[in-house]
Amino acid sequence: MNEPHLTKVASPSSALSRDRLGRPLRDLRISVTDRCNFRCVYCMPKEVFGNDYQFLERKELLNFEEIARLARIFREFGIEKVRLTGGEPLVRRKIEQLIAMLAAIPGLDLTLTTNGSLLQKKARALKDAGLKRVTVSLDSLDDAVFMRMNDVDFPVTRVLEGIDAAAAAGLAPIKINMVVKRGVNEHSILPMARFFRQSGHILRFIEYMDVGSTNGWRMDDVVTAREIVGMISAEMPLEPADPNYRGEVAERWRYKDGSGEIGVIASVTQAFCRDCTRARISTEGKLYTCLFAADGHDLRQLLRKGASDHDIRDAISAVWSRRGDRYSEIRTAETAKLEKIEMSYIGG
Ligand code: SAM
C-alpha cells in the first residue's frame, strides 16, 4: 500500500544508484573543449583534424554556468569526482574561473587531464582556483618519437617543465599517462619507467584503444598491459598492489625495492566495463555512458529551454537506469569499425 509513496519520496541519489548491470554512478568527465593544440596521430590525426576542420562554435559549447549547474546536479546523485578533459582543457579561455566554480561544490574531488603544454604557465592559477590534482599525458622522453606522435613538433622538455610546475604548485599526486602503440613508442616504455621511478609521480601505461572512427585501430597495434609489466619487471622487479578503490581503472604494480609504483590501463585486453562508474558530458552538453558510444543524450537542450533541476535530474536518472553498455568486453575487430564518437569531443 505504502509503496507508491515510498517511491515518490526516495532521494535522487537512491533513484539513480544503479544501472541495468548494477553499476553506481560515481565519476563525471566533462569535456570543456573539442580543440587541442596537439595533433596526436592516434587521437586527432591531421588528415581529419586539419586546417579546414569545423570545430564547435563558441555558442555551441556549454558555458561555465551550465557546466557548474550540471556538476551540482550530478553531485546530488552521489558523484564524487569530476575530471575536466577535452580536447585540451587548458586551451579553454579562463578555465580557472570554471575550476573556481566547481571547487565551490562541497565534497567534489576535482581533477584535470592535460597534455602539459600550458601547465608551466597555468599550474599556480589552477591550484589557487581549487584544482586538486592533474594527470599529464606524455608518450615518450625521446623528442623524435614524441614529436612524431604529437605531430606539432612539441618538445619533451616543455612537458617536463609543466610537470615540475604542477608539482611545485602542489597539484599532486601527479599521474603521467603514456599511450603505447606498437611500432611507434614501445621502446620508450623502459626509459619512461626509469625516469619516473623515484619521482613520486605515478606513471600509467594505456593500451592503445579503438576510440573514434579516425585512428585506424588494429589489434596488432596494441602492446598489452601484460607485455608492458613483463618488460619493466625484467629490469626493475614489480609486484601487484591492491587497488585504491573498487572500479579503479589502472591496475597497480609497485617496485619491489619500494621505489614507487606504476599503473597499467588494460582497457583492451582486460576490459573493466563491469566496474565502470563513469558518465561523460561532451563539449556541447551531451551525456554519454560509454567512451565508445555512438550517440548521447542532449542535456544542453534541457538547460537552454529552461528545464528545472528536477527535470534535468529525471533525464539523467532515466539515461543511467537504462544503461547496459559494456563495449570493451564485447570488442571485436568488427565492432572496432563501428561509427563512434571522437575522443577529443567526448573527452578522454
Ligand atoms: N588533451 C588532454 C591530454 O592530452 O591528456 C586530454 C584529452 S586526451 C583525449 C586524454 C587521454 O586520452 C590522453 O592521455 C591520451 O593519450 C588518451 N588517448 C587518446 N586517444 C587514445 C587512444 N586511441 N587510445 C588510448 N588512449 C588515448
Side-chain angles (χ1 to χ4, degrees), residues 42-43 85-89 113-115 137 177 179 206-209 211 215 343 348:
Y42 53 80
C43 187
T85 177
E88 170 49 43
T113 303
T114 172
N115 61 27
S137 304
N177 275 357
V179 175
I206 307 179
E207 289 180 349
Y208 170 58
M209 293 184 289
V211 287
N215 73 2
M343 197 164 183

Side-chain angles (χ1 to χ4, degrees), residues 123-276:
R124 172 52 58 193
L126 294 170
K127 176 69 181 177
D128 290 347
L131 188 68
K132 301 238 167 77
R133 289 171 285 112
V134 284
T135 297
V136 182
S137 304
L138 178 63
D139 295 333
S140 182
L141 290 172
D142 177 332
D143 256 337
V145 175
F146 185 52
M147 288 182 184
R148 233 182 355 261
M149 291 182 85
N150 66 52
D151 214 11
V152 291
D153 286 341
F154 200 87
V156 172
T157 44
R158 300 256 312 271
V159 179
L160 294 179
E161 285 162 9
I163 294 170
D164 288 346
L171 290 166
I174 297 174
K175 292 179 185 151
I176 315 289
N177 275 357
M178 171 178 174
V179 175
V180 186
K181 188 172 176 193
R182 195 177 301 285
V184 178
N185 67 337
E186 74 260 48
H187 298 301
S188 301
I189 294 172
L190 282 172
M192 285 280 284
R194 289 181 200 123
F195 184 83
F196 285 108
R197 189 174 172 194
Q198 283 171 336
S199 65
H201 310 325
I202 301 167
L203 176 59
R204 305 181 327 159
F205 299 91
I206 307 179
E207 289 180 349
Y208 170 58
M209 293 184 289
D210 53 326
V211 287
S213 309
T214 57
N215 73 2
W217 182 90
R218 294 173 317 135
M219 187 62 210
D220 291 350
D221 295 331
V222 180
V223 180
T224 68
R226 281 288 147 269
E227 283 178 79
I228 295 169
V229 170
M231 198 186 284
I232 298 173
S233 201
E235 179 181 313
M236 297 165 271
L238 289 164
E239 61 190 7
D242 289 336
N244 287 315
Y245 53 90
R246 183 164 183 250
E248 188 172 27
V249 171
E251 185 182 279
R252 296 173 62 212
W253 292 81
R254 67 172 156 252
Y255 292 110
K256 283 190 179 165
D257 67 1
S259 57
E261 68 176 77
I262 61 157
V264 283
I265 303 182
S267 25
V268 176
T269 60
Q270 296 161 59
F272 35 78
C273 303
R274 73 199 61 205
D275 283 330
C276 176

Side-chain angles (χ1 to χ4, degrees), residues 32-99:
V32 294
T33 176
D34 56 340
R35 292 168 199 255
C36 188
N37 52 347
F38 283 15
R39 283 294 172 274
C40 296
V41 288
Y42 53 80
C43 187
M44 293 182 74
K46 267 184 186 159
E47 310 83 81
V48 180
F49 297 89
N51 287 339
D52 48 1
Y53 184 81
Q54 280 293 314
F55 287 100
L56 295 170
E57 286 180 37
R58 201 170 171 71
K59 63 176 188 308
E60 296 178 277
L61 271 51
L62 289 188
N63 64 37
F64 290 171
E65 285 70 26
E66 289 168 333
I67 293 174
R69 182 173 172 208
L70 286 180
R72 264 195 308 277
I73 293 173
F74 272 93
R75 174 75 189 118
E76 288 169 24
F77 277 132
I79 284 281
E80 289 156 2
K81 185 159 102 184
V82 166
R83 174 177 298 280
L84 300 184
T85 177
E88 170 49 43
L90 299 188
V91 304
R92 176 95 188 237
R93 268 195 291 152
K94 305 200 174 129
I95 187 78
E96 311 79 83
Q97 284 181 7
L98 173 64
I99 288 174

